[in-house]
Amino acid sequence: MITIGIVDDHAIVRTGLRQFLSEQVDLRVVGEAASAREAIDLVRNTEMDVMLLDLSMPGASGMDALTMVRAKAPDLGILVLSSYSEEHYAINLIRMGVNGYLNKECDPQEIVTAVRTIAAGNRYISANVAALLAQQLSNPGEGPVHEQLSERELQVFLHLARGATVGEIAETLSLSVKTISTYRARVLEKMQLHSNSDLTYYALKNHLIQ
């Protein structure tokens, strides 16, 4: 039996996923979470093989949850199931060690295939993600600028783009204000931008935030 945890802030999404997955004889949902903090509690208190993780959540985002979950459970299989299309986040997240990335508009049966693949200890690379990886290999360095950011830099960038202050980000990520300021400077330098407003514009233009 493959055990699954679902992390999504929308109750209707969690309910739909739980009902669909329960129809598979080899899959069992063992817990749910509606926020990054609840995701940590879920990992701490519940044994599971695969976590389905949304990226868009209030407060600490799915990206924050990913970092915290990886610290607590480095061997847990993580399938990101997001409303953002693959071209926006998939490459970054695969570099960060997620085991698979699917858009929520995918065929539901593909979620089952991905969960089984990940539970077997493998990564699930969808056709869309495979095409992006092939494109990147053929044209290295020509992808979106944000794909060059490290995991922590991407986290800080997204918080800044959503309008969070350095102090608020420091509190959310449990880091010092000085550390966040350093990451902000690195992000601006790497992306060749000059202000938080520039970061917001870039994120909106590239559909990284809504």
Side-chain angles (χ1 to χ4, degrees), residues 123-170:
R123 279 189 176 178
Y124 180 78
I125 305 296
S126 68
N128 289 342
V129 172
L132 289 172
L133 289 170
Q135 182 180 14
Q136 189 177 74
L137 288 172
S138 300
N139 303 287
E142 293 187 9
V145 178
H146 69 271
E147 290 184 358
Q148 309 306 316
L149 299 178
S150 70
E151 178 178 355
R152 189 66 83 183
E153 288 166 351
L154 183 61
Q155 276 184 288
V156 172
F157 158 55
L158 292 172
H159 279 289
L160 290 168
R162 293 188 179 102
T165 66
V166 168
E168 289 169 342
I169 300 170

mmCIF file of all heavy atoms in Angstrom, residues 123-170:
data_model
loop_
_atom_site.group_PDB
_atom_site.id
_atom_site.type_symbol
_atom_site.label_atom_id
_atom_site.label_comp_id
_atom_site.label_asym_id
_atom_site.label_seq_id
_atom_site.Cartn_x
_atom_site.Cartn_y
_atom_site.Cartn_z
ATOM 1 N N ARG A 123 12.077 9.291 -10.139
ATOM 2 C CA ARG A 123 11.465 10.575 -10.461
ATOM 3 C C ARG A 123 10.428 10.374 -11.552
ATOM 4 O O ARG A 123 10.590 9.520 -12.424
ATOM 5 C CB ARG A 123 12.528 11.574 -10.948
ATOM 6 C CG ARG A 123 13.299 12.242 -9.833
ATOM 7 C CD ARG A 123 14.158 13.360 -10.372
ATOM 8 N NE ARG A 123 14.837 14.074 -9.299
ATOM 9 C CZ ARG A 123 15.679 15.075 -9.495
ATOM 10 N NH1 ARG A 123 15.954 15.462 -10.717
ATOM 11 N NH2 ARG A 123 16.245 15.681 -8.477
ATOM 12 N N TYR A 124 9.381 11.206 -11.497
ATOM 13 C CA TYR A 124 8.396 11.180 -12.575
ATOM 14 C C TYR A 124 8.600 12.427 -13.426
ATOM 15 O O TYR A 124 8.409 13.553 -12.950
ATOM 16 C CB TYR A 124 6.963 11.143 -12.033
ATOM 17 C CG TYR A 124 5.957 11.110 -13.159
ATOM 18 C CD1 TYR A 124 5.704 9.926 -13.838
ATOM 19 C CD2 TYR A 124 5.322 12.273 -13.588
ATOM 20 C CE1 TYR A 124 4.812 9.883 -14.904
ATOM 21 C CE2 TYR A 124 4.434 12.244 -14.646
ATOM 22 C CZ TYR A 124 4.184 11.048 -15.310
ATOM 23 O OH TYR A 124 3.315 11.020 -16.374
ATOM 24 N N ILE A 125 9.003 12.222 -14.665
ATOM 25 C CA ILE A 125 9.212 13.328 -15.597
ATOM 26 C C ILE A 125 8.114 13.267 -16.641
ATOM 27 O O ILE A 125 8.099 12.371 -17.492
ATOM 28 C CB ILE A 125 10.597 13.250 -16.273
ATOM 29 C CG1 ILE A 125 11.713 13.192 -15.224
ATOM 30 C CG2 ILE A 125 10.804 14.432 -17.213
ATOM 31 C CD1 ILE A 125 11.820 14.420 -14.357
ATOM 32 N N SER A 126 7.188 14.221 -16.580
ATOM 33 C CA SER A 126 6.092 14.252 -17.550
ATOM 34 C C SER A 126 6.624 14.653 -18.924
ATOM 35 O O SER A 126 7.754 15.130 -19.064
ATOM 36 C CB SER A 126 5.020 15.258 -17.106
ATOM 37 O OG SER A 126 5.546 16.583 -17.180
ATOM 38 N N ALA A 127 5.798 14.474 -19.943
ATOM 39 C CA ALA A 127 6.201 14.837 -21.303
ATOM 40 C C ALA A 127 6.532 16.326 -21.397
ATOM 41 O O ALA A 127 7.500 16.722 -22.060
ATOM 42 C CB ALA A 127 5.090 14.473 -22.289
ATOM 43 N N ASN A 128 5.738 17.161 -20.713
ATOM 44 C CA ASN A 128 5.981 18.610 -20.763
ATOM 45 C C ASN A 128 7.308 18.979 -20.108
ATOM 46 O O ASN A 128 8.070 19.801 -20.621
ATOM 47 C CB ASN A 128 4.844 19.364 -20.068
ATOM 48 C CG ASN A 128 3.555 19.328 -20.863
ATOM 49 O OD1 ASN A 128 3.557 19.038 -22.052
ATOM 50 N ND2 ASN A 128 2.443 19.634 -20.209
ATOM 51 N N VAL A 129 7.594 18.360 -18.953
ATOM 52 C CA VAL A 129 8.843 18.644 -18.253
ATOM 53 C C VAL A 129 10.025 18.109 -19.047
ATOM 54 O O VAL A 129 11.075 18.758 -19.143
ATOM 55 C CB VAL A 129 8.823 18.056 -16.834
ATOM 56 C CG1 VAL A 129 10.191 18.183 -16.178
ATOM 57 C CG2 VAL A 129 7.767 18.768 -15.988
ATOM 58 N N ALA A 130 9.867 16.941 -19.651
ATOM 59 C CA ALA A 130 10.936 16.368 -20.469
ATOM 60 C C ALA A 130 11.290 17.298 -21.627
ATOM 61 O O ALA A 130 12.472 17.483 -21.952
ATOM 62 C CB ALA A 130 10.517 15.000 -20.999
ATOM 63 N N ALA A 131 10.275 17.901 -22.227
ATOM 64 C CA ALA A 131 10.519 18.831 -23.331
ATOM 65 C C ALA A 131 11.282 20.066 -22.847
ATOM 66 O O ALA A 131 12.189 20.557 -23.532
ATOM 67 C CB ALA A 131 9.189 19.249 -23.962
ATOM 68 N N LEU A 132 10.932 20.558 -21.650
ATOM 69 C CA LEU A 132 11.634 21.715 -21.091
ATOM 70 C C LEU A 132 13.090 21.374 -20.790
ATOM 71 O O LEU A 132 13.999 22.179 -21.055
ATOM 72 C CB LEU A 132 10.935 22.184 -19.817
ATOM 73 C CG LEU A 132 9.572 22.858 -19.982
ATOM 74 C CD1 LEU A 132 8.926 23.072 -18.619
ATOM 75 C CD2 LEU A 132 9.707 24.183 -20.716
ATOM 76 N N LEU A 133 13.329 20.189 -20.228
ATOM 77 C CA LEU A 133 14.695 19.770 -19.922
ATOM 78 C C LEU A 133 15.516 19.622 -21.198
ATOM 79 O O LEU A 133 16.684 20.030 -21.254
ATOM 80 C CB LEU A 133 14.673 18.448 -19.152
ATOM 81 C CG LEU A 133 14.170 18.524 -17.714
ATOM 82 C CD1 LEU A 133 13.956 17.117 -17.153
ATOM 83 C CD2 LEU A 133 15.159 19.293 -16.836
ATOM 84 N N ALA A 134 14.915 19.054 -22.233
ATOM 85 C CA ALA A 134 15.611 18.887 -23.508
ATOM 86 C C ALA A 134 15.953 20.234 -24.121
ATOM 87 O O ALA A 134 17.058 20.434 -24.648
ATOM 88 C CB ALA A 134 14.746 18.068 -24.474
ATOM 89 N N GLN A 135 15.019 21.169 -24.017
ATOM 90 C CA GLN A 135 15.258 22.516 -24.542
ATOM 91 C C GLN A 135 16.393 23.194 -23.806
ATOM 92 O O GLN A 135 17.239 23.859 -24.413
ATOM 93 C CB GLN A 135 13.983 23.347 -24.415
ATOM 94 C CG GLN A 135 14.110 24.765 -24.975
ATOM 95 C CD GLN A 135 12.819 25.549 -24.829
ATOM 96 O OE1 GLN A 135 11.918 25.144 -24.104
ATOM 97 N NE2 GLN A 135 12.729 26.676 -25.510
ATOM 98 N N GLN A 136 16.443 22.997 -22.498
ATOM 99 C CA GLN A 136 17.501 23.614 -21.702
ATOM 100 C C GLN A 136 18.867 23.015 -22.033
ATOM 101 O O GLN A 136 19.872 23.730 -22.102
ATOM 102 C CB GLN A 136 17.207 23.447 -20.215
ATOM 103 C CG GLN A 136 18.153 24.241 -19.320
ATOM 104 C CD GLN A 136 17.780 24.104 -17.864
ATOM 105 O OE1 GLN A 136 18.020 23.055 -17.272
ATOM 106 N NE2 GLN A 136 17.196 25.129 -17.282
ATOM 107 N N LEU A 137 18.905 21.709 -22.249
ATOM 108 C CA LEU A 137 20.164 21.058 -22.618
ATOM 109 C C LEU A 137 20.652 21.530 -23.984
ATOM 110 O O LEU A 137 21.849 21.668 -24.215
ATOM 111 C CB LEU A 137 19.985 19.540 -22.622
ATOM 112 C CG LEU A 137 19.842 18.880 -21.247
ATOM 113 C CD1 LEU A 137 19.486 17.409 -21.399
ATOM 114 C CD2 LEU A 137 21.133 19.028 -20.447
ATOM 115 N N SER A 138 19.705 21.772 -24.882
ATOM 116 C CA SER A 138 20.070 22.216 -26.234
ATOM 117 C C SER A 138 20.505 23.668 -26.259
ATOM 118 O O SER A 138 21.339 24.071 -27.073
ATOM 119 C CB SER A 138 18.873 22.027 -27.185
ATOM 120 O OG SER A 138 18.477 20.684 -27.246
ATOM 121 N N ASN A 139 19.926 24.460 -25.347
ATOM 122 C CA ASN A 139 20.226 25.896 -25.312
ATOM 123 C C ASN A 139 20.543 26.326 -23.891
ATOM 124 O O ASN A 139 19.775 27.077 -23.271
ATOM 125 C CB ASN A 139 19.044 26.703 -25.850
ATOM 126 C CG ASN A 139 18.649 26.303 -27.252
ATOM 127 O OD1 ASN A 139 19.340 26.602 -28.215
ATOM 128 N ND2 ASN A 139 17.520 25.608 -27.366
ATOM 129 N N PRO A 140 21.669 25.861 -23.329
ATOM 130 C CA PRO A 140 21.994 26.208 -21.936
ATOM 131 C C PRO A 140 22.158 27.710 -21.750
ATOM 132 O O PRO A 140 22.726 28.403 -22.588
ATOM 133 C CB PRO A 140 23.325 25.478 -21.697
ATOM 134 C CG PRO A 140 23.888 25.256 -23.064
ATOM 135 C CD PRO A 140 22.720 25.062 -23.964
ATOM 136 N N GLY A 141 21.619 28.200 -20.638
ATOM 137 C CA GLY A 141 21.763 29.623 -20.330
ATOM 138 C C GLY A 141 20.738 30.516 -20.997
ATOM 139 O O GLY A 141 20.728 31.723 -20.775
ATOM 140 N N GLU A 142 19.846 29.933 -21.819
ATOM 141 C CA GLU A 142 18.874 30.747 -22.534
ATOM 142 C C GLU A 142 17.488 30.713 -21.889
ATOM 143 O O GLU A 142 16.551 31.285 -22.414
ATOM 144 C CB GLU A 142 18.773 30.291 -24.002
ATOM 145 C CG GLU A 142 20.047 30.564 -24.800
ATOM 146 C CD GLU A 142 19.878 30.264 -26.276
ATOM 147 O OE1 GLU A 142 18.727 30.006 -26.693
ATOM 148 O OE2 GLU A 142 20.878 30.291 -27.011
ATOM 149 N N GLY A 143 17.347 30.034 -20.773
ATOM 150 C CA GLY A 143 16.058 29.969 -20.101
ATOM 151 C C GLY A 143 15.764 31.245 -19.337
ATOM 152 O O GLY A 143 16.580 32.181 -19.305
ATOM 153 N N PRO A 144 14.611 31.325 -18.694
ATOM 154 C CA PRO A 144 14.262 32.496 -17.887
ATOM 155 C C PRO A 144 15.295 32.751 -16.794
ATOM 156 O O PRO A 144 15.895 31.816 -16.261
ATOM 157 C CB PRO A 144 12.912 32.109 -17.275
ATOM 158 C CG PRO A 144 12.366 31.067 -18.189
ATOM 159 C CD PRO A 144 13.545 30.311 -18.695
ATOM 160 N N VAL A 145 15.495 34.013 -16.476
ATOM 161 C CA VAL A 145 16.525 34.386 -15.510
ATOM 162 C C VAL A 145 16.289 33.739 -14.155
ATOM 163 O O VAL A 145 17.237 33.331 -13.479
ATOM 164 C CB VAL A 145 16.577 35.926 -15.357
ATOM 165 C CG1 VAL A 145 17.619 36.323 -14.320
ATOM 166 C CG2 VAL A 145 16.889 36.582 -16.688
ATOM 167 N N HIS A 146 15.035 33.615 -13.758
ATOM 168 C CA HIS A 146 14.759 33.079 -12.410
ATOM 169 C C HIS A 146 15.199 31.618 -12.268
ATOM 170 O O HIS A 146 15.362 31.133 -11.156
ATOM 171 C CB HIS A 146 13.272 33.229 -12.049
ATOM 172 C CG HIS A 146 12.348 32.361 -12.845
ATOM 173 N ND1 HIS A 146 11.799 32.757 -14.038
ATOM 174 C CD2 HIS A 146 11.870 31.106 -12.613
ATOM 175 C CE1 HIS A 146 11.023 31.802 -14.507
ATOM 176 N NE2 HIS A 146 11.048 30.787 -13.659
ATOM 177 N N GLU A 147 15.414 30.923 -13.377
ATOM 178 C CA GLU A 147 15.879 29.541 -13.293
ATOM 179 C C GLU A 147 17.338 29.456 -12.831
ATOM 180 O O GLU A 147 17.808 28.364 -12.480
ATOM 181 C CB GLU A 147 15.714 28.836 -14.644
ATOM 182 C CG GLU A 147 14.260 28.566 -15.005
ATOM 183 C CD GLU A 147 14.104 27.783 -16.278
ATOM 184 O OE1 GLU A 147 15.137 27.458 -16.923
ATOM 185 O OE2 GLU A 147 12.957 27.481 -16.660
ATOM 186 N N GLN A 148 18.017 30.585 -12.831
ATOM 187 C CA GLN A 148 19.411 30.603 -12.382
ATOM 188 C C GLN A 148 19.526 30.832 -10.872
ATOM 189 O O GLN A 148 20.623 30.767 -10.314
ATOM 190 C CB GLN A 148 20.193 31.705 -13.126
ATOM 191 C CG GLN A 148 20.049 31.672 -14.638
ATOM 192 C CD GLN A 148 20.393 30.323 -15.240
ATOM 193 O OE1 GLN A 148 21.390 29.708 -14.868
ATOM 194 N NE2 GLN A 148 19.561 29.857 -16.163
ATOM 195 N N LEU A 149 18.405 31.098 -10.218
ATOM 196 C CA LEU A 149 18.439 31.366 -8.783
ATOM 197 C C LEU A 149 18.540 30.072 -7.981
ATOM 198 O O LEU A 149 18.021 29.035 -8.393
ATOM 199 C CB LEU A 149 17.168 32.114 -8.356
ATOM 200 C CG LEU A 149 16.911 33.484 -9.004
ATOM 201 C CD1 LEU A 149 15.584 34.045 -8.508
ATOM 202 C CD2 LEU A 149 18.045 34.452 -8.723
ATOM 203 N N SER A 150 19.196 30.157 -6.836
ATOM 204 C CA SER A 150 19.245 29.011 -5.927
ATOM 205 C C SER A 150 17.883 28.845 -5.262
ATOM 206 O O SER A 150 16.990 29.702 -5.387
ATOM 207 C CB SER A 150 20.315 29.218 -4.858
ATOM 208 O OG SER A 150 19.907 30.247 -3.957
ATOM 209 N N GLU A 151 17.715 27.758 -4.536
ATOM 210 C CA GLU A 151 16.445 27.498 -3.858
ATOM 211 C C GLU A 151 16.075 28.640 -2.928
ATOM 212 O O GLU A 151 14.953 29.159 -2.963
ATOM 213 C CB GLU A 151 16.545 26.193 -3.066
ATOM 214 C CG GLU A 151 15.302 25.852 -2.276
ATOM 215 C CD GLU A 151 15.415 24.529 -1.542
ATOM 216 O OE1 GLU A 151 16.435 23.834 -1.729
ATOM 217 O OE2 GLU A 151 14.500 24.190 -0.786
ATOM 218 N N ARG A 152 17.011 29.067 -2.080
ATOM 219 C CA ARG A 152 16.708 30.119 -1.115
ATOM 220 C C ARG A 152 16.503 31.452 -1.819
ATOM 221 O O ARG A 152 15.618 32.240 -1.437
ATOM 222 C CB ARG A 152 17.839 30.227 -0.086
ATOM 223 C CG ARG A 152 17.509 31.152 1.074
ATOM 224 C CD ARG A 152 16.367 30.616 1.931
ATOM 225 N NE ARG A 152 16.809 29.652 2.914
ATOM 226 C CZ ARG A 152 16.002 29.011 3.737
ATOM 227 N NH1 ARG A 152 14.695 29.216 3.695
ATOM 228 N NH2 ARG A 152 16.470 28.137 4.616
ATOM 229 N N GLU A 153 17.291 31.722 -2.848
ATOM 230 C CA GLU A 153 17.122 32.968 -3.595
ATOM 231 C C GLU A 153 15.745 33.024 -4.242
ATOM 232 O O GLU A 153 15.093 34.076 -4.255
ATOM 233 C CB GLU A 153 18.221 33.091 -4.658
ATOM 234 C CG GLU A 153 19.598 33.396 -4.084
ATOM 235 C CD GLU A 153 20.715 33.193 -5.083
ATOM 236 O OE1 GLU A 153 20.461 32.649 -6.187
ATOM 237 O OE2 GLU A 153 21.860 33.558 -4.764
ATOM 238 N N LEU A 154 15.294 31.901 -4.769
ATOM 239 C CA LEU A 154 13.968 31.867 -5.390
ATOM 240 C C LEU A 154 12.879 32.112 -4.353
ATOM 241 O O LEU A 154 11.918 32.848 -4.612
ATOM 242 C CB LEU A 154 13.748 30.521 -6.084
ATOM 243 C CG LEU A 154 12.428 30.367 -6.843
ATOM 244 C CD1 LEU A 154 12.324 31.386 -7.966
ATOM 245 C CD2 LEU A 154 12.290 28.948 -7.400
ATOM 246 N N GLN A 155 13.031 31.517 -3.179
ATOM 247 C CA GLN A 155 12.074 31.763 -2.097
ATOM 248 C C GLN A 155 11.977 33.256 -1.778
ATOM 249 O O GLN A 155 10.885 33.829 -1.704
ATOM 250 C CB GLN A 155 12.513 31.025 -0.837
ATOM 251 C CG GLN A 155 12.103 29.571 -0.751
ATOM 252 C CD GLN A 155 12.531 29.003 0.591
ATOM 253 O OE1 GLN A 155 13.718 28.793 0.839
ATOM 254 N NE2 GLN A 155 11.581 28.754 1.459
ATOM 255 N N VAL A 156 13.132 33.875 -1.559
ATOM 256 C CA VAL A 156 13.163 35.290 -1.186
ATOM 257 C C VAL A 156 12.602 36.144 -2.317
ATOM 258 O O VAL A 156 11.818 37.078 -2.084
ATOM 259 C CB VAL A 156 14.602 35.719 -0.831
ATOM 260 C CG1 VAL A 156 14.686 37.233 -0.641
ATOM 261 C CG2 VAL A 156 15.070 35.003 0.440
ATOM 262 N N PHE A 157 12.979 35.830 -3.534
ATOM 263 C CA PHE A 157 12.472 36.561 -4.701
ATOM 264 C C PHE A 157 10.949 36.552 -4.742
ATOM 265 O O PHE A 157 10.299 37.597 -4.925
ATOM 266 C CB PHE A 157 13.049 35.954 -5.982
ATOM 267 C CG PHE A 157 12.257 36.221 -7.228
ATOM 268 C CD1 PHE A 157 11.941 37.515 -7.616
ATOM 269 C CD2 PHE A 157 11.810 35.167 -8.021
ATOM 270 C CE1 PHE A 157 11.200 37.764 -8.774
ATOM 271 C CE2 PHE A 157 11.079 35.399 -9.165
ATOM 272 C CZ PHE A 157 10.767 36.699 -9.542
ATOM 273 N N LEU A 158 10.332 35.381 -4.546
ATOM 274 C CA LEU A 158 8.877 35.281 -4.635
ATOM 275 C C LEU A 158 8.187 36.035 -3.509
ATOM 276 O O LEU A 158 7.150 36.671 -3.717
ATOM 277 C CB LEU A 158 8.459 33.810 -4.635
ATOM 278 C CG LEU A 158 8.864 33.020 -5.891
ATOM 279 C CD1 LEU A 158 8.587 31.539 -5.715
ATOM 280 C CD2 LEU A 158 8.144 33.559 -7.120
ATOM 281 N N HIS A 159 8.767 35.997 -2.315
ATOM 282 C CA HIS A 159 8.191 36.763 -1.204
ATOM 283 C C HIS A 159 8.277 38.268 -1.491
ATOM 284 O O HIS A 159 7.314 39.010 -1.268
ATOM 285 C CB HIS A 159 8.929 36.451 0.095
ATOM 286 C CG HIS A 159 8.483 35.175 0.749
ATOM 287 N ND1 HIS A 159 7.244 35.034 1.357
ATOM 288 C CD2 HIS A 159 9.098 33.974 0.900
ATOM 289 C CE1 HIS A 159 7.117 33.812 1.840
ATOM 290 N NE2 HIS A 159 8.236 33.141 1.578
ATOM 291 N N LEU A 160 9.420 38.720 -1.972
ATOM 292 C CA LEU A 160 9.581 40.141 -2.301
ATOM 293 C C LEU A 160 8.611 40.548 -3.408
ATOM 294 O O LEU A 160 7.997 41.620 -3.349
ATOM 295 C CB LEU A 160 11.014 40.420 -2.743
ATOM 296 C CG LEU A 160 12.094 40.340 -1.668
ATOM 297 C CD1 LEU A 160 13.485 40.356 -2.305
ATOM 298 C CD2 LEU A 160 11.966 41.505 -0.674
ATOM 299 N N ALA A 161 8.463 39.681 -4.415
ATOM 300 C CA ALA A 161 7.578 39.986 -5.538
ATOM 301 C C ALA A 161 6.125 40.107 -5.085
ATOM 302 O O ALA A 161 5.350 40.863 -5.668
ATOM 303 C CB ALA A 161 7.704 38.909 -6.611
ATOM 304 N N ARG A 162 5.773 39.395 -4.018
ATOM 305 C CA ARG A 162 4.398 39.473 -3.500
ATOM 306 C C ARG A 162 4.215 40.637 -2.535
ATOM 307 O O ARG A 162 3.133 40.824 -1.987
ATOM 308 C CB ARG A 162 4.033 38.159 -2.805
ATOM 309 C CG ARG A 162 3.931 36.965 -3.743
ATOM 310 C CD ARG A 162 3.374 35.747 -3.019
ATOM 311 N NE ARG A 162 3.252 34.595 -3.908
ATOM 312 C CZ ARG A 162 4.102 33.572 -3.940
ATOM 313 N NH1 ARG A 162 5.127 33.549 -3.101
ATOM 314 N NH2 ARG A 162 3.939 32.572 -4.782
ATOM 315 N N GLY A 163 5.282 41.391 -2.307
ATOM 316 C CA GLY A 163 5.164 42.592 -1.490
ATOM 317 C C GLY A 163 5.587 42.449 -0.044
ATOM 318 O O GLY A 163 5.393 43.379 0.752
ATOM 319 N N ALA A 164 6.152 41.325 0.333
ATOM 320 C CA ALA A 164 6.599 41.134 1.715
ATOM 321 C C ALA A 164 7.847 41.969 1.989
ATOM 322 O O ALA A 164 8.682 42.176 1.111
ATOM 323 C CB ALA A 164 6.901 39.664 1.976
ATOM 324 N N THR A 165 7.970 42.462 3.211
ATOM 325 C CA THR A 165 9.163 43.213 3.603
ATOM 326 C C THR A 165 10.276 42.241 3.996
ATOM 327 O O THR A 165 10.032 41.049 4.225
ATOM 328 C CB THR A 165 8.867 44.127 4.803
ATOM 329 O OG1 THR A 165 8.572 43.297 5.948
ATOM 330 C CG2 THR A 165 7.689 45.041 4.508
ATOM 331 N N VAL A 166 11.481 42.771 4.079
ATOM 332 C CA VAL A 166 12.621 41.951 4.487
ATOM 333 C C VAL A 166 12.366 41.354 5.873
ATOM 334 O O VAL A 166 12.653 40.178 6.124
ATOM 335 C CB VAL A 166 13.920 42.785 4.472
ATOM 336 C CG1 VAL A 166 15.059 42.041 5.167
ATOM 337 C CG2 VAL A 166 14.313 43.116 3.043
ATOM 338 N N GLY A 167 11.814 42.164 6.777
ATOM 339 C CA GLY A 167 11.523 41.685 8.120
ATOM 340 C C GLY A 167 10.491 40.568 8.132
ATOM 341 O O GLY A 167 10.635 39.587 8.867
ATOM 342 N N GLU A 168 9.451 40.706 7.332
ATOM 343 C CA GLU A 168 8.414 39.675 7.256
ATOM 344 C C GLU A 168 8.972 38.369 6.692
ATOM 345 O O GLU A 168 8.642 37.280 7.164
ATOM 346 C CB GLU A 168 7.257 40.175 6.386
ATOM 347 C CG GLU A 168 6.438 41.284 7.042
ATOM 348 C CD GLU A 168 5.481 41.956 6.077
ATOM 349 O OE1 GLU A 168 5.670 41.824 4.839
ATOM 350 O OE2 GLU A 168 4.550 42.631 6.558
ATOM 351 N N ILE A 169 9.828 38.485 5.687
ATOM 352 C CA ILE A 169 10.430 37.288 5.087
ATOM 353 C C ILE A 169 11.341 36.605 6.098
ATOM 354 O O ILE A 169 11.348 35.373 6.218
ATOM 355 C CB ILE A 169 11.221 37.652 3.816
ATOM 356 C CG1 ILE A 169 10.303 38.307 2.779
ATOM 357 C CG2 ILE A 169 11.870 36.401 3.212
ATOM 358 C CD1 ILE A 169 11.028 38.905 1.597
ATOM 359 N N ALA A 170 12.107 37.397 6.827
ATOM 360 C CA ALA A 170 13.005 36.844 7.844
ATOM 361 C C ALA A 170 12.220 36.037 8.863
ATOM 362 O O ALA A 170 12.623 34.940 9.263
ATOM 363 C CB ALA A 170 13.779 37.970 8.521
#
